[in-house]
Structure formats: C-alpha cells, structure tokens
Amino acid sequence: KHFFIIGAQRCGTTWLSKTLDLHPEIVMATPISPEPKYFLQANDPLDDLEVYIQRFFPNVSDGLICGEKSTSYIEFESAASSICKLIPEAKIIVVLREPKSRAISNYQFSLDSGLEKRDINEAFINEEQTVASYKNPDLSVCPFAYLARGKYVNYLSKYLQYFPKNQIKVILFENLI
C-alpha cells in the first residue's frame, strides 16, 4: 500500500505529511524537507521498486502503509508516468488552496527564503517573463510561478491520464484547516 502527496505547494501538505507520519500504520518517506523527489531524479532507476523501497522505507514491515510527499510532482507528467509505472495502485493525494491565497503564500515563502527581491505587484505582473527566463538546476521547479501554479486543472489533468479518479483524492486546504 502506497500513497503520494503530490501538492500543491503552500497548501498544507507538510502539515498533512507530518500528521500522517504520527499514525502507527503509516511510514512517510524522509526527508520531509527537502522532499524526496525520487521520481524527478534522472539518475535514479525509476523502474526498480526494490531500490525505491530500500532508499526511503528500509525498515518497513509488512502491513504498513508507505507515503511520500513531494509537491513538485504535481507539475511533472513524467512523475505521474513514473509513479504509475512503478506503483500503479498508488493513491494520489492533492491538497489545493484558494489560488490567490496560495499565490500570496508562495510569494511570501520565496521572499522569506531570500529568493524573491521584488515587491508582490512587480512579481505577479512580470511572472510570465520571469518564469520563461528562469534557470536554476538546484531547484525542481521555478519558485516564481505564483499565479500559474494555481491553475490546478493544468496539473490534475496530467495525473488523470495515468490514474483512475478513484485513486486520486483532492482535499481543499480551507476544509483541511
């Protein structure tokens, strides 16, 4: 039994992951921060379940449920494809938040992390140009896609190509809190 919390960023996924990890029958992949992001790594053998299990769940006994939280997964069809290929029965958990509040939280996080230097208006107005020119191989996703990241249908449709609806659970942040 396996599940993935794939996003979205700034929607309470870390809290959900830590809360689920407290359950005696659930084991979450570590580290939680930074996230494992196993299915985004080009150098990992994405077709070997034993390698994945040994890396993130080495001491898990039978009967326990394994979970991974990597919010960058939501943005990559390749992650959906790789997860489906390796663990086709996996459950996918998506936490979504009212897009404007999520964008503001994302902006504040980037500002607090020292990534963002612009005021919020400039950052939002110039987002498309900033994202188009962004290049940083150390980060899995562009931290400046504040508004674009809230267009959830663009991401969910990718996962619906690989997983049936009954394996995808969408939770609203506002209901979660």
Side-chain angles (χ1 to χ4, degrees):
K1 296 179 182 178
H2 208 105
F3 68 89
F4 293 87
I5 302 172
I6 63 165
Q9 290 181 4
R10 312 306 302 157
C11 292
T13 56
T14 300
W15 176 85
L16 178 60
S17 177
K18 289 179 178 179
T19 301
L20 290 171
D21 199 31
L22 296 174
H23 194 286
E25 295 176 15
I26 296 175
V27 177
M28 294 300 297
T30 56
I32 291 176
S33 180
E35 299 169 343
K37 301 177 189 173
Y38 179 81
F39 293 95
L40 296 180
Q41 308 302 318
N43 57 347
D44 284 326
L46 301 180
D47 59 349
D48 190 333
L49 182 59
E50 281 305 310
V51 170
Y52 176 71
I53 297 295
Q54 285 303 311
R55 183 159 173 198
F56 295 105
F57 308 99
N59 301 314
V60 172
S61 58
D62 289 342
L64 293 182
I65 299 168
C66 298
E68 179 189 337
K69 178 195 79 98
S70 291
T71 57
S72 297
Y73 287 169
I74 197 171
E75 296 187 35
F76 293 93
E77 184 175 345
S78 60
S81 173
S82 295
I83 292 168
C84 183
K85 183 178 177 183
L86 197 62
I87 311 171
E89 71 283 356
K91 305 294 186 192
I92 306 298
I93 300 172
V94 186
V95 186
L96 304 178
R97 183 177 186 177
E98 185 276 314
K100 186 171 86 175
S101 298
R102 197 221 61 77
I104 292 168
S105 178
N106 193 169
Y107 168 82
Q108 192 61 52
F109 181 80
S110 292
L111 190 68
D112 293 346
S113 300
L115 296 169
E116 182 62 77
K117 307 292 185 221
R118 303 167 295 173
D119 69 51
I120 194 167
N121 291 325
E122 183 183 348
F124 284 11
I125 290 169
N126 296 312
E127 177 179 317
E128 279 188 46
Q129 296 159 337
T130 304
V131 170
S133 64
Y134 180 77
K135 290 176 179 46
N136 183 342
D138 296 331
L139 298 177
S140 59
V141 295
C142 175
F144 309 116
Y146 307 120
L147 302 173
R149 196 163 279 129
K151 296 176 183 173
Y152 304 125
V153 69
N154 297 338
Y155 305 118
L156 291 175
S157 61
K158 295 173 187 173
Y159 276 80
L160 286 167
Q161 292 176 38
Y162 296 93
F163 295 94
K165 287 181 184 179
N166 67 348
Q167 285 180 232
I168 300 174
K169 176 69 175 176
V170 175
I171 301 169
L172 300 178
F173 170 82
E174 292 77 11
N175 292 339
L176 187 63
I177 59 169

